Amino acid sequence: MNQEDEFVKQQMQSMKVAIKKKDKYLIEESLRKEYCQQNNQQYIPKEQHKQGKANEKYSYLIKDKQETDESKQTDIQQQQEVHQDKQQKYQNQKQGQPDKKKQEQRIQGDRNKHGSKFQERENNKEQKQQEQKNKQNNSRKRQNDSKGFNDYQKWHSHNNNKPLSYPQVEEEENNNNLNIDNSDNKKQQEKNKKKNNNNNQQNKNSKNNNQQNKNQNENENQYENVHYKQVRRDRRAEKHIRITQSDQNKRFNKKRFNHYKYNDFDDDYDRLDDDDQFDDDYYYKKDQKNQRQKKQRRDSYNDLLKEYDHQQEDNKRNRKQYKNKKGMKKNKWQNKDFEQYWTEEQIEKGKQDDDIFEGIYIANEFTREKGTIKCPIFKKKVHINSLVETNRAFHGALVAFKITKIQKTENESEDEFEEEIIEKIEVKNNKIQKEKVKVEEKIETDVDKVEENDDDWEDVNSEDDDNISEEEVSVIDVVKKKVPLTKIQKLQKAQLIGKIVGIRKNPLESRQMIGKLCFNEKNGLLKKQINTKEDLINYIEKNYYVSFKCVNKRISFFNVKKLLSFNFELDNEDPVQKFMDYVSQRYFSAKYVEWLRNSRYPVVELIKEVGVQGNIDVECEAILTENSVYDNEFSDICKEEMKAYTHDSIAKERVKRLDLTKEYICSIDPVTARDLDDALSITDLGNGIYEIGVHIADVSHFVIPNSEVDKEAILRTTSVYLVHKVIPMLPRILCEELCSLNRDVERLAFSVFFQMTTEGEVLWDTFRAAKSVIKSCAQLSYDIVNQLIDGQIQQFSQGEQRYHIANGFDENILKNNILLLNTIAQKRRAKRLEGSLTFNKSKLRFILNPDLFPNDYTEEKRGLAQFMVEEWMLLANQFVGKKLVDYDVKTAILRQHMSPKSEKLLYYKKLLEAAGLEEMAQNLDVSTSRNLKLTMSKVDQIEQKEIQLILGFRLLKLMEAAQYFVVDDTPPQEWRHYALDFDVYTHFTSPIRRYPDILVHRRLQYALEKQEIDQTGETRDKLKAIMQHCNDCKLNARRVSDQCDQLFLALLLKANPIEVNAYVLSINNQNIEVIIPKFNLERKVDLKSLKNTYKYKVEQIGENRNELIVFYNDPEDEKGVRLYFVRQFQEIKISLSGTDTFPIEYKIQLIINNKVQI
């Protein structure tokens, strides 16, 4: 170790700051440069110094190699000559020929006789041989010069003997090889001269020539084998030198080149060579040379692929032939089976040891080979990367899985797998000390030091030793310490890859699937006469593979156990083809049977034929079946139970209830509403205080626990709203008659009251509730109330007949009450929105023809009437939730809304960074709805329209779905409703269409009557199961509504395509994701489906940002191929229509220059 290295080592050891591995090399070079400046020495980077030494070692190896080759060559030649002499003597003795000396004398005499002609002929032969050797050497040199590093075989072939080297080393090797060849040529010329001067050689007979040729071949082979082995030994050292050089240079050069490339030398980066122009030139030239070599290597690789392309074509042709013969493609699945599921005991033991976890499997929409698992323990999703590791799991299944690989990202360091904790150490101190003691414990170099105060320690003089007792004083010293993470904590931080070992719950066991049938030919078709449907079915099962393709893209293909005859009418002319045409146009329902370990596809059994594709009712039935929506007719027992409730029975119940039939109570609902379940009233109490009344239909009076109607309601749990119809939760006699709060009809209700001030302040201790009888004086709609608030009309009588007020009520009083309700509600709303979130989404209303096909649509926007009703319903739900918690917190049914998950936040942060808003990404805080509102206001202030629209759209996607839950042992901080910013919230106001509201009504009655909760037999476990079922059904109902809207909009766009503006959300190698604000859509455009294009290319233009370059054909342009660039956050024009196939989807095409669609 020289002085320079010692200086660097001492300086590095003296540093107390933690040094990362990636910065260690830069710091060493800066110290090395500082040492050279202090000692007036020339600074040479360590990399160049090592490179020069490596080249010297390599040149020495080459020289040693040449010397050994020459010595071995001479030894072999001597052995050949001795062996030839022995053979010659033996043959001469055997045939009686003279010895070699006499032959040479005779040959010399013959040459002297023939004179110069003989000599010229021999010289010409030698010259021709020499010219041929020179040509070979020159051609070999040209090939080596042209190849250089670009010989593809050198990089990729394991049988290549010649190693790669740096350019300057390669030149030295070529020169040395030329010197060796020249020395060989000179030796050969000298030998020829000796032979010419001696003139003793004689032509040998055929036998001697054959024997000598054999001996020569043996010796040459022996020489080649020896040379080959020696070269292999020598090139191991050369390969080691080349690898060490590349490893030393790779990290430093990559970091340096990337920095220069992306920063253009304009930042304040602490470079080592700020004043050294030599380093800049050296690395710049080296970078340029590497780029040239890469280009040459690609060119040579393309040439080598020509032969490979021919092989690929042959392989494709062979696969086609194999498919025609076998009826299916040969795949990698052969000789592979799924793993056997773990037993219940093994899974439980693995869960205790933190080796097995449970989660929901999410299948990939585009491939069966990959999927993810959503586990509540881990922040990130667990990835499944092969079909075998999915182990027969379906989308939505509850699975048991095992972690097989923990994958670090490039940015993760070892420090991220340690946790910093604060540890308190108790240090005891004697008062009998002569000096003050300073305790300084150094845990790690990167941990902050704790400066201890001298006042914490007593400074005692030696003169007072005899007078002071030995009392010990405790001092608490706080230090920071890093400890390794636990196994679970490590898994929570890393990117995980796993495999499924068991299926806990299969979602397909209790549901039907909707799909199509597909047919693939088997090994040749067997001819058979078909006379009946049974013959046709048997023929198809024997000659075709029948598979079932589910409508849901996340569920795979199925093998069909047995075909059904369906409603197909047999035709004697080509019955097979007509049967397949019939089947291809229809949907079928099926149920899951099994999935064997040795089978690639599961098995289903067909149930029935659903109907023709494209029919509205059939398409909607497919959507309902696919989402497990229960839409059967109500049983006869339910209908019989409803007959017991007549108007007379309601009149008897009136005596037990609060009579509100004389109050000004009215309902406000959409125009098309039939089930009116809420109404409002207001009473002036004086002193600026008003009592608000919220009256809800008393459905719980008719739906008795454990009755047939109750069981049917539990199965459905919610009403499902389609575009053209509603699937009710309760029988229509309840929804539209007995429970609907129609005008001028007495109805049973559950009324809640609370007081408000004129400024919108809520008096929380004024809540009261009672079962009542009401008579609505008016049945109003949002439209008519908005017209009244806006001043477009002065009286309800100016509207349609159905909006007229009932007899016995004053229209002006009702009008003033509604205006007063609106005034107080808007003030309350303004205060609530200081912390709550609001989403002003417009909804499409389709105009249908008699055949239920859409002709047009209107956009329904919310007005003040909608906001007024919403505000009073929110307050009623909030008051009732508080009442349930106060009465019995364990069985209270609430509704919670969680804050956004970390995965969605990470995606949104990357989106902000891609938009150039790094500061906003770093300071993003959505822990509360108030903080999220601040972020939304910052987004609204962005000047660039495209970025503002995209970020605002994606901000709403951060929201999680709200859920029902039973409180039981849930901590209070998890009761909150994130979007509304409420501590406690429940659903009370829609019992006709939501089953949880019925349960809340029952519990509110128990609270008012102070009854025991367990009288109904509904325990907490049973309630939890019901709430989970309600959450699932509500999610399915929302999916049905969204898919039904998509169906009708796609049908409308198929008949009337439109051009709209879209915004590019993201770009990758497979697709681009666009946002269509007009229809509130977010869709992906598959790049492979682009039309009128030659090719496309995706390039990275920044961190988290890509650019799409499309080479398209403009038929009106003479130049032909043109380029079209698409970047993230760019506004583009698209053509939006519907696909020709079913299930129908949106079809998106990009529009270039307002004319070319791709």
Side-chain angles (χ1 to χ4, degrees), residues 1017-1028:
E1018 294 169 349
T1019 61
R1020 279 174 283 178
D1021 293 337
K1022 183 180 178 181
L1023 280 176
K1024 289 179 182 179
I1026 293 174
M1027 289 302 103
Q1028 184 58 47

Side-chain angles (χ1 to χ4, degrees), residues 684-696:
D684 187 358
L685 301 180
N687 298 325
I689 297 175
Y690 296 88
E691 186 176 61
I692 310 299
V694 178
H695 313 277
I696 308 300

